[in-house]
Amino acid sequence: MEKPLTRDPGFWIMVGIGLALLVLGPIFIDMFTIMQITQYVVLSVFALSLAYIWGFGGILSFGQAAFFGLGAYTFAVSSISIGDTTLPLVLSFAIPAAFGVALGYFMFYGKLSDVYLGVVTMVVTLIFWKLANHTAGPEYSIAGVRLGGFNGIPSIPTINFPGQPDAWLDPAQLFRFFMAVLVVVYVVLRILIASDFGRISIGIRENETRAALLGYDIRRHKVIVFALGSGIAGLSGAMWATYQSFIDPNAFSMEMSAKALIWVMAGGVGTLLGPILGVIGLQWLTLKLGMMELLNSLVVLGAIMMVLVLALPKGLVPTVKSACLAGWALWRRGRGVSASAKKVTSDD
Amino acid sequence: MTETPKDEGYRILRTSGLTMRFGGVTAVDNVDFELRDGELRCLLGPNGAGKSTFFKCLTGQLVPTEGRVLLKEQPITGLNTHEIVNMGVGIKTQVPNVFDGISVYENVRLSARRKHTVRIARDVAEATIEKCGIRHLIRREVGQLAHGQRQLVELAMVLAASPDLILLDEPAAGMTGDERDRLAQLVLEAARSAAVIVVEHDMQFIRQIAKFVTVFNRGAIFREAMIDDIMRDRAVQEIYLGKQADAAA
């Protein structure tokens, strides 16, 4: 637990895999697959936003899609009206984060309990979804960009090099850029979680009363965590918008919020790797099931979800980890290492 | 400390007319309580006498229905828990409030970190853990520990912040004889640099530490006297010890 981040091999392995994919991916993998992986990368950033606030801040939000959609629309509107994508990317983080501060302020300073927090975040998402659907007329335009109601906003520009609006990234470059974003988000979150700020967040997750009784302002702490998660979700929304070059109100849908919850739950709450694996596994499965056209993919996913909750209630990564630790302990005992050594292993 | 605490002057804690009602139930009823700086006070009283509710009013976990709380002569009624705590109050709650999912060391370090820099917090945490006799548990996850051990972890968290006023709600519950003796030493030691209020039922433990005692009954202060007088007091025996005897019979 107290091991510094720089001495954690898991951290370096993850960063190594990310950078290796970033550099070597477009060289060795065909372009169609790369574009497929790009989608997973974008959704992984989205999954990380919830993995952080839920797993490391104890905030269970049913409304991550609100920030995802807000980021996507922010990017769509600002990139079309500005004609350059650099500032819109920043805005797609900043505006959802600012909205996260406002919403978080009311929720956490109002001392909402967990259940009501879930309800409020869900309702906020529904409001955004409804609102976005009702912006069909020409009067609904921001900076000359029509929001388009349920038809959404088409022709969202591809990311360009900063200051060169005509120098668009090709698919390989886009993949590399998004992969870099994912690695940076992962590294920043890991550093944050390992810092004292992050450890206090974990303390708040474990026991709010004690955190307050130690003199920590849990409300302010939670607002910061929530806003950071909101900003990251917004950024992933922007990545999604430019990847698809199109955005519609379904970015705000309950399905988007639910997917994030499912990825994090399946992969393991309290890890960052798990939710990424959740994205890859479940999105890949959805794709395959969709191609089979045999069963409704949502029904199958629902069934898988139920099995996961029953069989791996802690999620994939924590289960595998404790199984490995138990196996390691057994192996050591088998080799005649004393029982006390085994105890140390299981104590980690 | 034989003088009675009735003289005027600085009080680290003062409540006047403190009342806490839950619907029709009055859990704390018009309590005027005073504690001098550096005093060690024991709070006795049967279950449901309002001792824990009284503590919660002092730490801002509950906002009293009526009355005032002065901490270091400053009104704190209505302040948030963390604001009160940062004025120098540490509390060990009746049911230990600890961070279950993380290690003993990290629990105590997070407490010390509130006041100290990273490096000093580390030293303070280690020294406090050593002092509380839980060095051998330092890497264990708190959620896996026995009740008495969790009590010691929580006590270490309270002591690591070196508060000026320490509130201990049934600290000896679930402890073995050895652990309880150590606890008594720790409480006496802590009382040298801070004011301490201890709620406890364990009479052996009380005898080890108590001097001046306040007895609660039905939310109100029933008696305030030296421990020997309290032990001889027939009325106290009836409400408190009598009930224990009844329960044992």
Side-chain angles (χ1 to χ4, degrees):
Chain A
M1 196 91 215
E2 294 88 29
K3 198 163 49 177
L5 192 57
T6 46
R7 291 225 308 265
D8 181 358
F11 171 71
W12 293 111
I13 291 171
M14 284 292 285
V15 173
I17 292 174
L19 292 179
L21 262 177
L22 187 157
V23 175
L24 303 175
I27 301 175
F28 292 106
I29 304 172
D30 67 280
M31 212 26 79
F32 177 78
T33 314
I34 281 293
M35 287 175 76
Q36 204 60 49
I37 300 175
T38 306
Q39 184 186 336
Y40 297 162
V41 171
V42 174
L43 295 176
S44 291
V45 174
F46 182 46
L48 283 185
S49 76
L50 182 67
Y52 171 60
I53 67 167
W54 187 11
F56 299 93
I59 304 168
L60 176 50
S61 164
F62 286 81
Q64 252 355 56
F67 303 103
F68 180 83
L70 199 59
Y73 272 79
T74 302
F75 180 83
V77 169
S78 56
S79 63
I80 290 171
S81 84
I82 295 173
D84 181 283
T85 57
T86 312
L87 180 63
L89 272 179
V90 176
L91 288 179
S92 70
F93 178 90
I95 289 180
F99 181 66
V101 169
L103 182 63
Y105 175 82
F106 287 113
M107 292 194 305
F108 300 121
Y109 280 72
K111 294 186 178 163
L112 284 193
S113 67
D114 290 346
V115 178
Y116 291 100
L117 196 121
V119 173
V120 168
T121 49
M122 190 188 281
V123 169
V124 166
T125 313
L126 279 173
I127 291 171
F128 269 111
W129 183 73
K130 274 274 181 199
L131 192 72
N133 267 312
H134 281 85
T135 55
E139 67 273 27
Y140 294 106
S141 69
I142 300 173
V145 181
R146 282 180 58 176
L147 297 181
F150 54 80
N151 287 320
I153 305 174
S155 319
I156 297 170
T158 307
I159 305 281
N160 59 257
F161 286 97
Q164 299 167 267
D166 297 325
W168 291 316
L169 302 191
D170 64 35
Q173 289 168 329
L174 189 71
F175 166 78
R176 285 189 165 137
F177 174 62
F178 282 1
M179 200 66 210
V181 171
L182 177 61
V183 170
V184 167
V185 167
Y186 177 82
V187 169
V188 166
L189 287 180
R190 283 296 302 261
I191 290 172
L192 200 65
I193 290 162
S195 73
D196 275 323
F197 177 87
R199 285 162 186 224
I200 294 159
S201 300
I202 292 172
I204 292 172
R205 178 196 73 190
E206 290 294 319
N207 191 329
E208 277 192 25
T209 307
R210 177 43 71 191
L213 289 174
L214 291 185
Y216 293 108
D217 187 348
I218 54 176
R219 306 163 307 174
R220 197 188 61 186
H221 233 88
K222 283 185 146 186
V223 169
I224 295 172
V225 169
F226 186 70
L228 195 62
S230 306
I232 295 170
L235 186 63
S236 69
M239 291 157 76
W240 187 246
T242 180
Y243 171 76
Q244 303 230 304
S245 77
F246 163 79
I247 195 73
D248 70 14
N250 283 330
F252 289 114
S253 66
M254 286 311 301
E255 196 188 328
M256 262 334 270
S257 284
K259 271 185 177 171
L261 287 166
I262 291 170
W263 294 328
V264 176
M265 245 159 75
V269 182
T271 70
L272 294 183
L273 169 63
I276 295 175
L277 294 179
V279 169
I280 297 168
L282 292 173
Q283 283 300 108
W284 178 81
L285 205 64
T286 314
L287 187 74
K288 292 290 161 195
L289 289 170
M291 290 198 310
M292 272 171 32
E293 290 180 2
L294 191 65
L295 276 166
N296 185 322
S297 66
L298 289 178
V299 173
V300 179
L301 276 181
I304 290 173
M305 208 48 231
M306 284 169 68
V307 171
L308 275 177
V309 169
L310 290 173
L312 309 175
K314 285 185 163 176
L316 181 70
V317 169
T319 308
V320 170
K321 194 175 169 189
S322 55
C324 286
L325 282 175
W328 167 244
L330 267 179
W331 183 73
R332 287 187 50 144
R333 195 156 18 153
R335 285 178 37 137
V337 182
S338 71
S340 64
K342 179 234 159 200
K343 212 169 139 209
V344 170
T345 319
S346 63
D347 285 348
D348 278 337
Chain B
M1 269 203 266
T2 43
E3 69 271 55
T4 52
K6 289 296 175 194
D7 57 300
E8 287 308 309
Y10 176 80
R11 296 285 182 271
I12 189 157
L13 181 70
R14 210 191 274 271
T15 74
S16 55
L18 190 71
T19 301
M20 183 74 219
R21 287 193 202 93
F22 300 103
V25 181
T26 306
V28 175
D29 189 6
N30 199 23
V31 168
D32 297 324
F33 182 89
E34 285 189 354
L35 189 72
R36 286 172 311 149
D37 210 359
E39 189 184 344
L40 169 59
R41 180 80 64 96
C42 284
L43 228 57
L44 299 184
N47 286 325
K51 307 178 299 285
S52 297
T53 309
F54 179 62
F55 271 14
K56 282 185 180 167
C57 291
L58 300 185
T59 52
Q61 289 167 280
L62 290 173
V63 180
T65 323
E66 278 167 41
R68 274 162 36 106
V69 182
L70 295 176
L71 178 66
K72 301 180 177 176
E73 304 290 357
Q74 313 242 343
I76 57 163
T77 327
L79 290 188
N80 286 300
T81 298
H82 70 268
E83 291 166 324
I84 297 173
V85 167
N86 288 334
M87 288 172 70
V89 180
I91 180 170
K92 200 214 78 61
T93 49
Q94 187 177 2
V95 178
N97 270 303
V98 284
F99 303 133
D100 274 340
I102 55 184
S103 68
V104 169
Y105 172 75
E106 191 64 10
N107 266 268
V108 181
R109 196 189 68 90
L110 278 179
S111 170
R113 184 72 181 88
R114 181 73 195 92
K115 274 190 148 181
H116 300 294
T117 58
V118 173
R119 216 168 266 191
I120 296 174
R122 196 165 55 205
D123 295 344
V124 168
E126 281 183 11
T128 315
I129 286 170
E130 185 78 55
K131 194 166 71 175
C132 293
I134 44 176
R135 164 124 244 143
H136 58 296
L137 303 172
I138 195 160
R139 293 188 61 197
R140 293 279 295 274
E141 215 173 80
V142 176
Q144 303 170 340
L145 300 181
H147 187 63
Q149 295 171 325
R150 288 157 61 85
Q151 299 266 50
L152 281 172
V153 172
E154 201 185 20
L155 185 71
M157 292 170 84
V158 171
L159 296 179
S162 45
D164 302 320
L165 172 62
I166 301 174
L167 310 174
L168 302 174
D169 199 344
E170 303 200 13
M175 284 196 176
T176 62
D178 287 349
E179 282 171 339
R180 197 183 53 206
D181 290 345
R182 176 180 284 277
L183 177 71
Q185 290 309 310
L186 284 171
V187 171
L188 290 172
E189 194 191 318
R192 272 185 232 134
S193 56
V196 184
I197 308 178
V198 184
V199 166
E200 193 44 80
H201 290 297
D202 187 325
M203 274 304 154
Q204 262 179 308
F205 179 72
I206 292 286
R207 280 174 186 282
Q208 275 178 289
I209 61 166
K211 293 186 178 75
F212 198 74
V213 175
T214 299
V215 181
F216 265 59
N217 191 34
R218 300 181 182 202
I221 292 180
F222 184 75
R223 283 278 191 288
E224 289 198 303
M226 300 305 291
I227 180 72
D228 295 332
D229 298 330
I230 291 288
M231 299 299 275
R232 280 195 294 269
D233 192 314
R234 290 297 293 270
V236 171
Q237 284 173 14
E238 238 158 71
I239 65 150
Y240 185 71
L241 306 172
K243 272 198 179 168
Q244 264 193 350
D246 287 347

